[in-house]
Amino acid sequence: MNREIPDDAVQKEALRRFKANVFQVLGHPTRIHIVECLRDGELTVSAILDQVAVEPANASQHLSVLRSKGLVVNRKEGNQVFYSLRDPLLIEVLDTMKLYFKKHLEEAMSMLQGMEG
Amino acid sequence: MNREIPDDAVQKEALRRFKANVFQVLGHPTRIHIVECLRDGELTVSAILDQVAVEPANASQHLSVLRSKGLVVNRKEGNQVFYSLRDPLLIEVLDTMKLYFKKHLEEAMSMLQGMEG
DNA sequence: TTAGTATATTCGATTATTCGAAATTACTAA
DNA sequence: TTAGTAATTTCGAATAATCGAATATACTAA
């Protein structure tokens, strides 16, 4: 198999798919919100719900996505489930992004108008 | 309007939507590939097509997404269109991500198996 | 056991993304 | 003009993402 495409290219493509997957997980406002909430440490689902005002079922679904793609981990303690970020490096990505956003804020805002208009 | 939700929260939510939008744009392997191609400078669509083996129409659609969300810019020169990254900061995001990926490569690979299996 | 709280899963409808094929626009060179 | 290359747009079908409602599981306390 793979007589024409070199192994290297196949692996690079696989890596790109993986990257795309991670970005896609971050590609939803509610999931971004959840990740931001977890910035300073672990939280229970209830605590997350206090900040991220969505249906519990919906939050669970988003947490499930974050979990399945390895961005967050969870631990159970009695009645509750605590979530936390898998790797603080993710915060760095978000912080670099924050720089990007700050820089492009003005155009970002006018762009937002267009997005939902 | 917005009698109950403070302005600040509304703006934060707007910003999150914008961030999500950018991440979503990066949430496709072909678009990641295109951005990576543009890492070292501008390229014509043809040159991009040489590296990213997809239908021209498909590449155009992805470039259109990258353009409309402001991640790339283009200029026309005669018969051809040159694309380049809007802001090198984007590369930094990608580079931070690269660290993340390197760190999680092993699990990443087993995760990829699950994704397409 | 029963009732109550915390979280997760399943289901079905809606909306969004994605792709290739076909048609289109914009240039260039003969 | 005509033919040819570069890039884009439109269309329609297939697939994926999203949400709330309803249901289910797991734990706790009475």
Side-chain angles (χ1 to χ4, degrees):
Chain A
M1 51 180 85
N2 272 321
R3 222 169 315 215
E4 337 207 333
I5 304 162
D7 270 15
D8 185 51
V10 172
Q11 287 186 10
K12 277 184 179 167
E13 172 59 23
L15 197 50
R16 250 176 261 125
R17 272 201 297 272
F18 178 71
K19 289 186 192 181
N21 250 283
V22 175
F23 281 126
Q24 208 190 339
V25 172
L26 294 173
H28 192 286
T30 300
R31 290 194 290 264
I32 296 219
H33 201 168
I34 291 174
V35 169
E36 286 176 348
C37 286
L38 296 176
R39 195 192 164 87
D40 299 319
E42 65 175 8
L43 289 177
T44 65
V45 175
S46 296
I48 293 171
L49 282 170
D50 287 344
Q51 300 188 238
V52 183
V54 297
E55 295 292 316
N58 194 4
S60 248
Q61 286 166 342
H62 285 300
L63 284 168
S64 165
V65 172
L66 288 163
R67 232 187 309 128
S68 72
K69 300 301 169 62
L71 277 75
V72 304
V73 292
N74 61 352
R75 78 183 169 85
K76 208 164 189 174
E77 189 176 310
N79 217 1
Q80 302 174 300
V81 179
F82 288 82
Y83 278 87
S84 56
L85 294 184
R86 174 77 186 290
D87 189 327
L89 213 45
L90 199 58
I91 298 279
E92 259 184 73
V93 176
L94 252 21
D95 280 348
T96 313
M97 265 304 202
K98 198 179 280 179
L99 272 181
Y100 182 87
F101 294 126
K102 203 170 279 178
K103 200 165 165 190
H104 295 280
L105 192 63
E106 202 173 314
E107 103 199 65
M109 283 313 170
S110 60
M111 204 169 259
L112 275 173
Q113 304 307 321
M115 277 170 194
E116 33 221 332
Chain B
M1 51 180 83
N2 272 320
R3 221 169 315 213
E4 336 208 334
I5 302 161
D7 270 16
D8 185 51
V10 173
Q11 288 186 9
K12 278 184 179 167
E13 173 58 23
L15 197 50
R16 250 176 262 125
R17 272 201 298 273
F18 178 71
K19 289 186 192 182
N21 250 283
V22 175
F23 282 126
Q24 208 189 338
V25 172
L26 294 172
H28 192 286
T30 301
R31 290 194 289 266
I32 296 217
H33 202 168
I34 291 175
V35 168
E36 285 175 348
C37 285
L38 296 176
R39 195 194 164 85
D40 299 318
E42 65 174 7
L43 288 177
T44 65
V45 175
S46 296
I48 293 171
L49 282 170
D50 287 342
Q51 300 189 240
V52 182
V54 296
E55 294 292 316
N58 193 5
S60 249
Q61 286 164 343
H62 285 301
L63 284 168
S64 165
V65 172
L66 288 162
R67 231 187 310 128
S68 71
K69 301 302 169 62
L71 277 75
V72 304
V73 291
N74 61 351
R75 78 183 168 85
K76 208 164 188 174
E77 190 177 310
N79 218 1
Q80 301 174 301
V81 179
F82 288 82
Y83 278 87
S84 55
L85 294 184
R86 175 79 186 289
D87 189 327
L89 214 45
L90 199 57
I91 297 281
E92 259 184 73
V93 176
L94 251 22
D95 281 348
T96 313
M97 265 304 201
K98 199 179 281 179
L99 273 180
Y100 182 87
F101 294 127
K102 205 169 278 178
K103 199 164 165 190
H104 295 280
L105 193 63
E106 203 173 314
E107 101 199 67
M109 284 313 170
S110 60
M111 204 169 259
L112 276 172
Q113 305 305 322
M115 278 171 196
E116 35 220 333

